[in-house]
Amino acid sequence: MKSVKDTLLERRSIRRYEREAISEGNMELIYDAIRNTPTSYNGQQFSVIDVSDQELKEKIYDLTGAKQIKTCNRFLIFLADYNKISLLAEDQNITMPDFNNTVDGLIVGVVDATLAMMSALTMAESLGLGTCPIGYARTAAPEALSNLLKLPQKTFVVCGLAIGVPREMPDLKPKQPASLMIHKDCYRSDEAAMVKELNDYNIVVTEYNRTRAGEKSINDWVAHIVSYYDEAMSYHMLRALRRRGFDLHK
């Protein structure tokens, strides 16, 4: 098993996997890591769907276009989930407030599900497996995916995680320097210096994309990421959330 240091600092997204199955012992360790995730109020406002059926993975791939979903051994789908607590509150004759209809309720569910995904990722990576988080599982076809997974009201997909035995080991992507990521005591106010460091980072990413092993590109960082934002402007997530029982009003 890898050390925590190596697990976190050597992590890279894997998109090509061997056909080899993940042992049930390793999956149980991943489940245990998920279950021990810290959550708001210990409310555990999340659930996970473990997709191992190949036909189902391919249907999800058809909706998302993310090839790693159909080639990985297991695809974990992380949900924000207020269904379970609502069921028990009803059984116990406790009035359930519409917390799921608030912005804070939405954030709590998203944070809990995301922390659970990181718990699964960290355990899987420590076991020598490859992983790839897939946020597009949330946005590509939210209503179709919810129907496919038979999701009840008060749940929605936050993210997915492909897991499998890696067939590739891509170069580590360069990340922003600590001076841009970690602010001391308050947010940095030296914007001119920040812009210079951001431009330097943009150059580093451009060079990485030009020279990396495997598929190369001429993409920089800023224009490429902003293009993702432009694409996301066409998503209708608020409508999808309302249909899942998250009608935000405060």
Side-chain angles (χ1 to χ4, degrees), residues 147-193:
N147 290 334
L148 186 63
L149 299 174
K150 302 178 182 179
L151 299 188
Q153 287 285 289
K154 298 185 180 180
T155 67
F156 70 90
V157 174
V158 174
C159 54
L161 182 68
I163 308 177
V165 176
R167 182 180 287 186
E168 63 178 3
M169 194 54 59
D171 297 336
L172 276 171
K173 289 183 178 179
K175 304 297 185 181
Q176 293 177 24
S179 59
L180 286 171
M181 285 279 197
I182 314 299
H183 301 251
K184 301 295 181 66
D185 295 324
C186 64
Y187 199 94
R188 285 179 59 179
S189 59
D190 54 339
E191 291 188 355

Side-chain angles (χ1 to χ4, degrees), residues 2 29 34 44-45 48 55 72 91-93 96-97 117 122 124 129 131 138 146 154 165 176 178 186 207 233 243:
K2 293 182 183 177
L29 287 171
I34 289 170
Q44 302 156 76
Q45 289 90 187
V48 183
E55 183 178 350
C72 69
D91 181 76
Q92 297 291 318
N93 294 315
M96 179 74 180
M117 188 271 288
T122 303
L129 299 169
T131 64
R138 175 185 66 257
S146 296
K154 298 185 180 180
V165 176
Q176 293 177 24
C186 64
E207 182 65 10
M233 296 300 289
R243 291 185 177 182

Side-chain angles (χ1 to χ4, degrees), residues 113-155:
T114 306
L115 287 170
M117 188 271 288
M118 195 62 195
S119 294
L121 182 153
T122 303
M123 178 58 77
E125 292 278 343
S126 76
L127 296 169
L129 299 169
T131 64
C132 185
I134 304 175
Y136 205 47
R138 175 185 66 257
T139 57
E143 294 170 31
L145 184 58
S146 296
N147 290 334
L148 186 63
L149 299 174
K150 302 178 182 179
L151 299 188
Q153 287 285 289
K154 298 185 180 180
T155 67

Side-chain angles (χ1 to χ4, degrees), residues 8-45:
L8 295 177
L9 299 187
E10 296 179 4
R11 189 215 65 81
R12 75 263 337 255
S13 291
I14 302 298
R15 293 175 173 82
R16 298 176 70 244
Y17 299 92
E18 303 289 354
R19 294 184 181 274
E20 182 180 342
I22 301 171
S23 72
E24 288 306 309
N26 281 348
M27 286 308 305
E28 288 299 325
L29 287 171
I30 293 169
Y31 293 163
D32 287 344
I34 289 170
R35 292 177 54 247
N36 199 40
T37 295
T39 61
S40 297
Y41 327 115
N42 193 35
Q44 302 156 76
Q45 289 90 187

Side-chain angles (χ1 to χ4, degrees), residues 231-242:
E231 178 184 343
M233 296 300 289
S234 65
Y235 300 158
H236 298 286
M237 290 304 300
L238 185 57
R239 181 179 66 190
L241 285 169
R242 284 174 174 160

